[in-house]
Amino acid sequence: MGLLIYLNGKFVPEKEAKISVFDHGLLYGDGVFEGLRSYKGKIFKLDEHLIRLFNSAKAIALTIPLKFEELKKAVIETVRKNQLKDSYIRIVVTRGVGDLGLDPKKCKIPTIFIIASKIQLYPESLYEKGIDVITVPTRRNLNESLNPAIKSLNYLNNILAKIEANNSGATEGLILNQFGYISECTGENIFIVKKEIIITPPVSAGALSGITRDVVIDISEKIGLKVKEENITRYDVYTSDECFLTGTAAEIVPVVKIDGRIIGDGRPGKITLKIRNEFHLLTEKEGTPVYE
Ligand code: PMP
């Protein structure tokens, strides 16, 4: 049995969940999206993800055709209808159907769909061993062009970086901004640990304001670690004691090698594992219940 997809206000079977070839989300990547997870029947950080979605939409002057609370209900309902407990949820809002020109004025009704399904980015063994990362040639989009803070459907910058990482045989690609500072990876934020201080690049360096990133900052402070958001270079990463990536789909992934340099002792760091453990405890405890 396939999934039930929320599409423009209705639930339709996966096979019937189709959009027009004139949709500008497809023709031009004109739209925004979010990726969320539910754990044990509770959606983690639902409000935070929806706030970011509404902000992304605002930044591209796209009006989401549902109010915040309506969208929240639709997301909950999508998980419920698919009877999922642990799920990965994708919300997509596009500019909608227009003509073959790019002018969004011609797109009268945004398209909105929600998929609740599953995801596993990496096999469990990689979480235990840690991953290797390589710096990719493609630079982050400029803040003054397509600001990477917008979670838009225009992900080619990230996809080119992922292709470069794949071609090098690395698991992930580290993306620098135009100044040579580290922004983030292709679909995750980056953290380093140096002398028990947690450091992550600021959003202004070209990083998405990750929801998992915020959770990790909170956890770190709660367990008594100092957190800094500051520009870092590859030198800082190479000489760090620990390094890890964060994202909704990937969760918390230890990094043990970058550009051929072994990080720490080449195994997932103690602080990384502690934060990862606290993160999992939180995902089990917190969240918006789907089945109440
Ligand atoms: N950076 C990018 C480019 C992303 O696409 C994502 C989400 N996959 C992240 C960082 C992590 O953000 P979050 O923790 O909110 O999923």
Side-chain angles (χ1 to χ4, degrees), residues 131-139 161 164-165 168-176 180-182 184-185 190 232-240 243 255-263:
I131 64 165
D132 62 327
V133 171
I134 197 144
T135 308
V136 296
T138 294
R139 296 283 172 127
E164 290 158 356
S168 309
T171 309
E172 249 303 340
L174 184 61
I175 312 175
L176 308 180
Y181 289 115
I182 285 159
E184 60 180 345
C185 286
I190 185 166
I232 54 174
T233 62
R234 286 192 295 163
Y235 171 84
D236 298 316
V237 178
Y238 296 160
T239 58
S240 66
C243 177
V255 177
V256 291
K257 202 182 190 189
I258 299 187
D259 297 339
R261 279 76 159 180
I262 303 289
I263 305 302

Side-chain angles (χ1 to χ4, degrees), residues 120-133 162 169-172 243 250 252-256 266-268 272-273 276:
Q120 168 129 37
L121 280 197
Y122 305 120
E124 199 46 44
S125 60
L126 279 189
Y127 289 89
E128 281 152 28
K129 282 194 296 201
I131 64 165
D132 62 327
V133 171
K162 188 74 183 178
T171 309
E172 249 303 340
C243 177
I252 295 172
V253 200
V255 177
V256 291
R267 280 176 303 187
T272 304
L273 294 178
R276 191 162 177 249

Side-chain angles (χ1 to χ4, degrees), residues 39-260:
Y39 296 90
K40 299 201 164 155
K42 290 192 294 268
I43 304 174
F44 192 59
K45 301 286 172 193
L46 176 55
D47 281 13
E48 287 79 353
H49 280 281
L50 293 185
I51 290 168
R52 189 171 66 185
L53 183 74
F54 275 88
N55 284 339
S56 293
K58 188 165 195 185
I60 67 160
L62 168 66
T63 306
I64 295 181
L66 293 178
K67 294 201 178 74
F68 190 91
E69 287 304 319
E70 290 169 338
L71 181 55
K72 196 166 165 175
K73 269 200 197 140
V75 173
I76 296 170
E77 197 55 25
T78 308
V79 179
R80 190 185 300 143
K81 285 238 191 273
N82 288 285
Q83 293 166 21
L84 291 160
K85 292 245 160 83
D86 295 296
S87 71
Y88 178 77
I89 307 155
R90 177 61 56 91
I91 313 172
V92 178
V93 189
T94 81
R95 192 78 61 183
V97 171
D99 64 16
L100 290 177
L102 62 78
D103 192 348
K105 268 208 311 272
K106 306 260 182 74
C107 307
K108 299 295 178 210
I109 307 167
T111 301
I112 178 162
F113 57 88
I114 308 167
I115 306 167
S117 183
K118 299 258 172 192
I119 202 167
Q120 168 129 37
L121 280 197
Y122 305 120
E124 199 46 44
S125 60
L126 279 189
Y127 289 89
E128 281 152 28
K129 282 194 296 201
I131 64 165
D132 62 327
V133 171
I134 197 144
T135 308
V136 296
T138 294
R139 296 283 172 127
R140 203 77 182 103
N141 284 331
L142 302 179
N143 286 341
E144 56 271 46
S145 303
L146 177 57
N147 194 319
I150 303 170
K151 205 163 164 58
S152 84
L153 293 180
N154 239 292
Y155 249 47
L156 267 178
N157 186 235
N158 308 52
I159 289 165
L160 292 177
K162 188 74 183 178
I163 290 169
E164 290 158 356
N166 288 346
N167 287 345
S168 309
T171 309
E172 249 303 340
L174 184 61
I175 312 175
L176 308 180
N177 63 24
Q178 77 269 34
F179 305 113
Y181 289 115
I182 285 159
S183 58
E184 60 180 345
C185 286
T186 68
E188 296 101 24
N189 292 107
I190 185 166
F191 284 78
I192 57 171
V193 184
K194 220 165 188 172
K195 296 196 178 122
E196 310 221 329
I197 298 174
I198 310 286
I199 311 167
T200 193
V203 171
S204 58
L208 185 75
S209 183
I211 308 296
T212 321
R213 176 182 180 274
D214 285 347
V215 172
V216 163
I217 291 173
D218 276 358
I219 288 174
S220 303
E221 284 170 346
K222 278 202 186 104
I223 60 178
L225 296 164
K226 193 169 167 200
V227 181
K228 285 193 199 165
E229 287 181 60
E230 63 183 28
N231 279 322
I232 54 174
T233 62
R234 286 192 295 163
Y235 171 84
D236 298 316
V237 178
Y238 296 160
T239 58
S240 66
D241 302 325
E242 299 183 29
C243 177
F244 60 92
L245 311 183
T246 65
T248 298
E251 301 176 310
I252 295 172
V253 200
V255 177
V256 291
K257 202 182 190 189
I258 299 187
D259 297 339

